């Protein structure tokens, strides 16, 4: 079997406003809206030009889950912790962090060196508290 990553699903309290934020902040385009017959579940699949997709899901009766203030706190709870977006170059981590914060993301971890030598990372949260990591994965220096 050959498998590859397709998308991440994120439950949101307001589908329409989440679509606007994700479309604008992460520069995604709408692929398709859907609803699951016999349920109150609706959603929207969004796609980035690089190929990754985010599926936004909404159920009126959904209850809030983990709202971590940091990636360390998220790692203390089993389950979803964050999504990670790769950027091109260490300066891009800072620029993308600033752009997302200006677009309404919450600053969770300012840009800094990552545990991987030579890499740089930062964390923001979408308007609903879901963590988004930004990372530059430069090749390790030898």
């Amino acid at each position: 079997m050959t498998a590859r990553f397709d998308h991440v699903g994120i439950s949101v309290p307001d589908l329409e406003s989440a679509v606007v934020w994700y479309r604008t902040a992460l520069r995604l385009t709408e692929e398709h809206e859907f609803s699951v017959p016999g349920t109150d579940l609706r959603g929207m699949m969004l796609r980035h030009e690089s190929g990754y997709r985010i599926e936004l899901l909404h159920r009126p009766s959904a209850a809030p889950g983990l709202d971590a203030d940091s990636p360390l706190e998220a790692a203390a709870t089993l389950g979803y912790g964050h999504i990670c977006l790769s950027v091109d170059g260490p300066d891009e981590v800072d620029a993308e962090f600033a752009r997302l914060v200006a677009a309404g993301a919450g600053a969770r971890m300012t840009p800094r060196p990552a545990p991987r030598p030579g890499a740089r990372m930062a964390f923001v949260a979408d308007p609903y508290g879901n963590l988004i990591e930004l990372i530059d994965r430069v090749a390790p220096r030898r």
Side-chain angles (χ1 to χ4, degrees):
M1 177 177 98
T2 300
R4 63 183 172 85
F5 181 77
D6 187 79
H7 69 275
V8 63
I10 301 173
S11 293
V12 295
D14 181 332
L15 183 61
E16 288 73 22
S17 66
V19 167
V20 170
W21 191 85
Y22 272 88
R23 194 179 60 220
T24 304
L26 297 184
R27 299 178 177 130
L28 304 175
T29 57
E30 295 176 21
E31 254 190 5
H32 64 275
E33 186 169 5
F34 62 90
S35 60
V36 177
T39 74
D40 59 355
L41 177 63
R42 298 183 310 122
M44 173 70 76
M45 184 67 77
L46 302 169
R47 186 177 203 280
H48 189 266
E49 66 182 19
S50 69
Y52 79 81
R53 295 190 288 170
I54 295 178
E55 181 181 42
L56 299 175
L57 303 162
H58 173 70
R59 289 192 74 185
S61 60
L66 175 67
D67 187 7
D69 285 331
S70 71
L72 189 58
E73 182 182 344
T77 302
L78 298 176
Y80 169 82
H82 66 278
I83 61 172
C84 182
L85 304 177
S86 181
V87 299
D88 298 323
D91 294 338
E92 290 298 311
V93 170
D94 295 72
E96 193 66 3
F97 177 84
R99 191 184 71 73
L100 288 173
V101 169
R108 293 295 189 262
M109 179 187 286
T110 57
R112 64 191 63 194
R116 178 180 175 165
R120 194 159 172 76
M121 66 183 220
F123 277 83
V124 298
D126 73 6
Y128 316 103
N130 298 301
L131 295 176
I132 302 169
E133 179 182 5
L134 306 168
I135 193 162
D136 165 46
R137 289 198 178 274
V138 296
R141 291 178 176 84
R142 297 181 192 245

